[in-house]
Amino acid sequence: MSVFTPVTTEALADWLRRYAIGHLVQLQGISAGVQNSNFFVTTTLGRYVLTLFETIPRAELPFYLHLMAHLARHGLPVPAPIADRDNEYLGTLSGKPAVLVARLTGQSDMAPTPARCARVGAMLAGLHLAGLSYGRRQDNPRGAAWRRSTAAQVRPFLPADDQALLDAELALQASVAGQALPEGVIHADLFRDNVLWDGEHIGGVIDFYFAGVDALLFDVAVTVNDWCSLPDGELDETRTRALLDAYHAERPFTPAERTAWPAMLRAAALRFWLSRAADFHLPRPGELVLVKDPNEYRNILRLRARAVPPLLESRP
């Protein structure tokens, strides 16, 4: 989350007249993240998050908004979108597509315990299972095609050894493409800062604007790479086992997924190395913008290319 497009209190107060949520009390920009312009909005009747979409085409946005509404109906702790008086989720503010969603309670945990990793694994499996009945389809916007095109854009900015790493990984991913893995709706960005904790329970899962249909295992790999990595990028065995076992208890992994696991961890690392490299080398102007270090995920990719633990240990 960032602020690329400023919003005045006057413009927002006028825009809120189309909603039945009271009058504007406070507007505050959110500086974390890199994709959209986000604000905390407090009215006389509640607390919300306002998002202005900077790069996502308007035609793609109903997929995300109706997905959040779908998951909320299934009892998952996601930010339900707020409909205006015409029963529409999507509006226009400051010349950008805009949406209000319910603001969830809790705080993120950047040093999660194995117990919390287990809760995240179970929740992710529940999200995947609930998503199977979602009727809309939209491919993962950061899928294989995006990774290839973005690699071509950022490659000239990289040193020779990083270029060699990138070329080798793209070749590896091309060689394993097309594997028959279970697919469905994935969050695709389930980092620690996108989960809010209310005590030991998950109070909220936020930022669904990278969601799409892809291999469910890719979502698991994205989550493990963030939640279970040590400061040096190596995987913490206890946290990794806790997350994977809890997921498997809700949605058992298939034999094909076990085989694909090492390459999928690498694909997930590649995706975030590329997106962070693009943000770093090809930045967009913004009022409050957080650019994350691309080298973190370059290092994770190197580590995952050496060795990873199996998806599941042998059971007696």
Side-chain angles (χ1 to χ4, degrees), residues 143-157:
W146 176 90
R147 295 194 288 272
R148 289 192 298 269
S149 64
T150 304
Q153 292 175 342
V154 303
R155 190 181 188 278
F157 297 96

Side-chain angles (χ1 to χ4, degrees), residues 35 174 219 253:
Q35 180 71 5
D219 217 11
F253 294 113

Side-chain angles (χ1 to χ4, degrees), residues 215-231:
L216 300 178
L217 190 64
F218 181 81
D219 217 11
V220 179
V222 168
T223 307
V224 166
N225 272 342
D226 182 69
W227 284 81
C228 304
S229 288
L230 297 165

Side-chain angles (χ1 to χ4, degrees), residues 85-150:
R85 295 182 183 182
D86 294 324
N87 208 33
E88 296 290 337
Y89 293 139
L90 190 61
T92 301
L93 179 61
S94 297
K96 299 292 177 66
V99 66
L100 276 173
V101 301
R103 182 176 174 181
L104 303 175
T105 60
Q107 295 180 330
S108 57
D109 180 1
M110 304 309 290
T113 63
R116 286 193 168 185
C117 289
R119 286 190 180 275
V120 167
M123 183 281 303
L124 182 60
L127 186 155
H128 289 166
L129 292 171
L132 294 176
S133 60
Y134 184 53
R136 297 171 184 250
R137 180 182 175 91
Q138 190 163 282
D139 289 340
N140 176 6
R142 297 293 185 268
W146 176 90
R147 295 194 288 272
R148 289 192 298 269
S149 64
T150 304

